[in-house]
């Protein structure tokens, strides 16, 4: 077989499995292992949360089973993203999607609910994989879409950029080199729990491809009549830096910032600017997560320290976050 560094991964959590179309996916029926949550609990001496009922649904979502057929009058919102949406570091009731669902329904209601917010986040997914999820989910009769992809798109490319590796998946089995390249990518994606601290010039998804992927998602949403929202994901270090208020920039300044990033640094700020620019050009609202959490932290710093911190690590929001 292939040398050790090119073999299929063997040490990833049981709730993740190989998938021919996506590279990896959540395993239906598996219990979430919660490695990031367990580290958070150990750090602060918190009692271990019971994850026995944190089971991946039959559709491969960290969510409840969806009623089939869709109940009359029910609204369904799909949330796309990576581990921040999946909820690495929190129990299922504290995920972004669950909190939003509770808010929209006026409390925690048993299914079927008037509004279902479907958690389609998967650790390490980029916009390429979320596009596949969106295409597959069109049969669920969706009404809304939230796109929360960014952090994994910015990750350093290992074994090839996602555009090449997605082609490798489609061509899998046609050549040994493609298969080995795919295995390298899978090993990276499936074992990825920690963020990469430094943004490099070679990302899993380029700024240009990131803009194209976001636009294609919006095209699908508009074709299906979905109300769509883009979310700029916040990170723990945002409070330490001067943040750009993207929604406060006029079109000229925002376009110039995007062009500057495409020609030069291609930094975290560039990805955020691209999302803001795509949203503005397509008439889609953009929620500036960094600005919201920064304002929250500045209003009462003491309330969001220690085990109440807004992030369990560099990128994953805590229950407070």
């Amino acid at each position: 077989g292939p040398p050790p560094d090119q073999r299929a991964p063997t040490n990833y959590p049981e709730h993740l499995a190989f998938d021919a179309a996506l590279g990896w996916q959540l395993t239906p029926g598996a219990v979430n292992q919660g490695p990031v949550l367990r580290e958070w609990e150990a750090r602060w001496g918190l009692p271990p949360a019971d994850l026995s009922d944190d089971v991946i649904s039959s559709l491969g979502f960290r969510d409840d089973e969806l009623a089939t057929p869709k109940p009359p009058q029910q609204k369904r919102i799909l949330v796309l993203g990576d581990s921040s949406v999946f909820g690495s570091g929190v129990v299922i009731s504290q995920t972004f999607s669950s909190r939003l669902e509770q808010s929209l329904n006026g409390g925690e209601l048993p299914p079927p609910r008037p509004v279902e917010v479907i958690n389609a986040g998967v650790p390490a997914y980029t916009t390429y994989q979320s596009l596949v999820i969106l295409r597959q989910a069109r049969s669920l009769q969706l009404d809304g879409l939230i796109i929360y992809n960014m952090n994994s798109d910015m990750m350093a490319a290992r074994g090839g950029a996602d555009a090449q590796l997605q082609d490798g998946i489609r061509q899998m089995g046609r050549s040994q080199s493609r298969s080995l390249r795919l295995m390298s990518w899978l090993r990276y994606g499936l074992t990825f729990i920690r963020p990469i601290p430094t943004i490099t010039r070679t990302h899993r998804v380029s700024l240009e491809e990131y803009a194209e992927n976001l636009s294609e998602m919006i095209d699908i949403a508009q074709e299906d009549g979905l109300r769509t929202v883009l979310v700029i994901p916040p990170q723990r270090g945002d409070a330490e830096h001067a943040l750009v208020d993207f929604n406060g920039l006029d079109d000229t300044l925002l376009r110039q910032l995007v062009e500057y990033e495409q020609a030069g640094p291609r930094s975290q700020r560039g990805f955020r600017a691209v999302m803001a620019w795509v949203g503005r050009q397509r008439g889609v609202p953009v929620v500036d997560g960094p600005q919201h959490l920064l304002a929250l932290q500045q209003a009462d710093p003491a309330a969001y320290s220690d085990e109440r911190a807004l992030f369990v690590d560099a990128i994953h929001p805590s229950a407070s976050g």
Side-chain angles (χ1 to χ4, degrees):
D5 66 338
Q6 294 179 335
R7 292 175 188 166
T10 57
N11 61 336
Y12 53 90
E14 294 179 2
H15 60 275
L16 292 175
F18 171 80
D19 180 81
L22 292 159
W24 60 93
Q25 65 171 2
L26 300 180
T27 307
V31 176
N32 171 35
Q33 304 297 298
V36 178
L37 173 61
R38 295 309 186 204
E39 288 196 3
W40 172 257
E41 292 169 339
R43 183 190 309 170
W44 299 110
L46 304 174
D50 181 10
L51 296 178
S52 60
D53 60 349
D54 196 343
V55 180
I56 306 303
S57 75
S58 60
L59 294 176
F61 301 132
R62 189 188 181 192
D63 214 324
D64 297 325
E65 296 291 340
L66 289 176
T68 305
K70 177 182 174 182
Q73 308 305 316
Q74 185 184 76
K75 301 296 183 182
R76 286 181 173 175
I77 302 169
L78 186 74
V79 185
L80 297 172
D82 55 15
S83 53
S84 294
V85 171
F86 172 82
S88 297
V90 297
V91 298
I92 192 168
S93 63
Q94 296 170 342
T95 64
F96 168 75
S97 302
S98 293
R99 289 281 181 85
L100 178 59
E101 185 176 84
Q102 293 169 29
S103 177
L104 293 174
N105 286 303
E108 192 169 359
L109 303 177
R113 307 172 183 87
V115 181
E116 286 279 2
V117 181
I118 305 167
N119 183 354
V122 179
Y125 266 21
T126 67
T127 47
Y128 274 102
Q129 290 151 311
S130 287
L131 258 173
V132 177
I133 292 291
L134 178 56
R135 295 188 188 108
Q136 294 175 345
R138 298 177 81 172
S139 62
L140 299 179
Q141 298 176 276
L142 302 172
D143 300 281
L145 175 66
I146 297 174
I147 303 171
Y148 201 103
N149 285 97
M150 185 176 294
N151 289 332
S152 292
D153 292 71
M154 293 190 298
M155 291 299 163
R158 298 181 180 178
D162 275 30
Q164 299 168 313
L165 294 165
Q166 283 286 343
D167 179 65
I169 288 177
R170 289 189 290 269
Q171 305 294 332
M172 196 175 77
R174 296 190 182 185
S175 84
Q176 185 181 20
S177 64
R178 283 199 178 96
S179 297
L180 294 181
R181 187 175 62 178
L182 175 62
M183 288 303 103
S184 174
W185 184 47
L186 287 176
R187 184 178 63 257
Y188 161 63
L190 291 173
T191 60
F192 165 68
I193 295 297
R194 307 291 176 274
I196 297 173
T198 303
I199 300 298
T200 67
R201 289 184 61 83
T202 306
H203 307 286
R204 288 178 61 190
V205 179
S206 71
L207 283 175
E208 294 79 7
E209 291 164 338
Y210 183 65
E212 292 172 2
N213 293 341
L214 291 177
S215 294
E216 187 169 348
M217 290 187 208
I218 294 171
D219 287 340
I220 293 173
Q222 291 180 342
E223 184 177 337
D224 292 352
L226 311 184
R227 297 186 64 178
T228 305
V229 174
L230 299 173
V231 179
I232 300 176
Q235 293 191 5
R236 185 176 61 190
D238 287 338
E240 303 168 6
H241 305 287
L243 295 177
V244 176
D245 180 6
F246 296 104
N247 287 326
L249 296 179
D250 62 31
D251 287 354
T252 300
L253 287 176
L254 183 55
R255 185 184 69 252
Q256 289 175 347
L257 179 57
V258 170
E259 292 172 349
Y260 170 76
E261 291 287 346
Q262 288 176 333
R266 295 173 175 263
S267 64
Q268 176 193 72
R269 182 182 64 181
F271 279 84
R272 291 175 171 179
V274 165
M275 175 176 275
W277 178 251
V278 170
R280 187 171 301 184
Q281 293 301 299
R282 302 302 300 273
V284 173
V286 178
V287 176
D288 195 330
Q291 290 287 345
H292 282 290
L293 265 72
L294 177 62
L296 190 67
Q297 193 168 20
Q298 289 177 337
D300 191 1
Y304 298 102
S305 59
D306 301 326
E307 69 273 14
R308 297 162 298 177
L310 297 176
F311 295 87
V312 301
D313 53 24
I315 61 175
H316 298 117
S318 65
S320 298

